[in-house]
Amino acid sequence: MRGRVAIALSTLLSVSLHAQSGSFAGSVLQDTLGHGVARAEVQMPDAHLTTATDARGNFAFSNVSPGRHAIVVRAIGFELLVDTIDVASGQRLEADIVLHVAPVNLATVKTTASAEKRLPFGLDEMEDRRKTGLGGYFVTDSMLRKDDYRKLTYFLSQMPSLRLSLTPVPGVASAGTSVYVRGGHGGCHGYTTVYLDGVLYYKDPPGPLNPPPDFNALWASGYSGVEYYPSAATVPAQYNATQASDCGTLLLWSRRTP
């Protein structure tokens, strides 16, 4: 399966049952044989944690607050990985993360929908909101699968209330082809708030430890749904607790097995 990779997780409870924070550690690999990827960047954006793998691909985070967190893994020559993890109080969470080599020729990796279609957590909620027609813009699972080989920017560019920006983010390193998302109206002076599988992934202000998502690095094959709400008045209540900005709120639903 291209575009999303399975994360094998094993957990070890800490000795102290009263510990509040947990930890997250593991290895970033280039194959299932255990060959590590050195200098890969591993981020937990909502926790403002970033580290790089060592020569063997190992990484570790300590003092991780309990709860669900987004993780982002970047490495030169490999596809961007975006996923989520759950850390319990006092838990040591361990993972082997296998990256996929970035495609060279996009035309050779086009896929078609199959009978093995499985919906991720939250997509039923998105469908209910889409059917009510209360002010959001939607990209459905079937639309994404039809154009699996395209980047998310292709779909976002068709939403009338979104602007794709190539302007570098102050203090954030860019490869020169990075694309960020802003709201389409004049009151937007920052970047769109982003949730991944129901977890807050990005919210202004931007900075070196809180970079807005680079949508030019995200492929349709990794997602089953996209929702955009241009104003706080239209955002579903459960995603408005962070006081949605004037730049709107974007909800991404990853393609994964239940």
Side-chain angles (χ1 to χ4, degrees):
M1 183 173 71
R2 186 181 62 82
R4 299 293 301 167
V5 297
I7 296 182
L9 297 177
S10 63
T11 61
L12 297 172
L13 294 179
S14 79
V15 175
S16 173
L17 297 179
H18 301 288
Q20 294 300 308
S21 61
S23 61
F24 175 44
S27 302
V28 177
L29 308 174
Q30 57 183 297
D31 53 42
T32 56
L33 299 178
H35 296 120
V37 178
R39 295 185 296 278
E41 181 184 72
V42 184
Q43 287 186 317
M44 299 180 67
D46 59 308
H48 304 297
L49 297 175
T50 301
T51 190
T53 58
D54 62 18
R56 295 186 177 183
N58 300 320
F59 68 91
F61 293 110
S62 59
N63 297 320
V64 178
S65 60
R68 200 173 185 199
H69 299 277
I71 61 169
V72 180
V73 182
R74 295 181 176 88
I76 296 176
F78 296 89
E79 291 185 354
L80 178 77
L81 178 131
V82 180
D83 213 321
T84 57
I85 59 171
D86 290 289
V87 178
S89 178
Q91 181 187 41
R92 175 179 172 81
L93 189 65
E94 296 185 341
D96 285 337
I97 303 173
V98 182
L99 299 183
H100 281 180
V101 175
V104 176
N105 185 346
L106 296 182
T108 64
V109 294
K110 183 174 181 179
T111 60
T112 57
S114 67
E116 208 173 310
K117 177 179 177 181
R118 299 176 183 178
L119 299 182
F121 169 81
L123 202 61
D124 288 342
E125 293 180 11
M126 178 188 125
E127 283 300 299
D128 290 341
R129 289 189 287 267
R130 185 177 69 87
K131 292 174 182 177
T132 61
L134 295 180
Y137 298 92
F138 301 86
V139 182
T140 65
D141 183 69
S142 60
M143 295 165 64
L144 290 161
R145 289 179 183 270
K146 180 181 177 182
D147 287 305
D148 251 359
Y149 65 100
R150 294 187 184 275
K151 296 182 178 182
L152 282 190
T153 49
Y154 170 79
F155 303 92
L156 298 179
S157 66
Q158 300 178 54
M159 290 184 175
S161 293
L162 273 179
R163 288 185 294 132
L164 302 184
S165 173
L166 292 170
T167 305
V169 180
V172 176
S174 172
T177 57
S178 297
V179 177
Y180 307 102
V181 172
R182 298 174 182 265
H185 55 82
C188 172
H189 301 292
Y191 299 91
T192 297
T193 299
V194 179
Y195 283 81
L196 173 65
D197 292 339
V199 177
L200 182 62
Y201 173 56
Y202 173 79
K203 187 179 188 301
D204 278 345
L209 297 179
N210 186 41
D214 176 6
F215 286 89
N216 199 43
L218 304 182
W219 298 85
S221 58
Y223 298 87
S224 283
V226 179
E227 306 174 62
Y228 176 66
Y229 299 90
S231 68
T234 60
V235 179
Q238 63 269 41
Y239 303 113
N240 202 20
T242 56
Q243 298 181 344
S245 71
D246 290 334
C247 297
T249 300
L250 193 66
L251 308 182
L252 304 178
W253 301 101
S254 63
R255 188 181 303 177
R256 57 167 67 195
T257 56

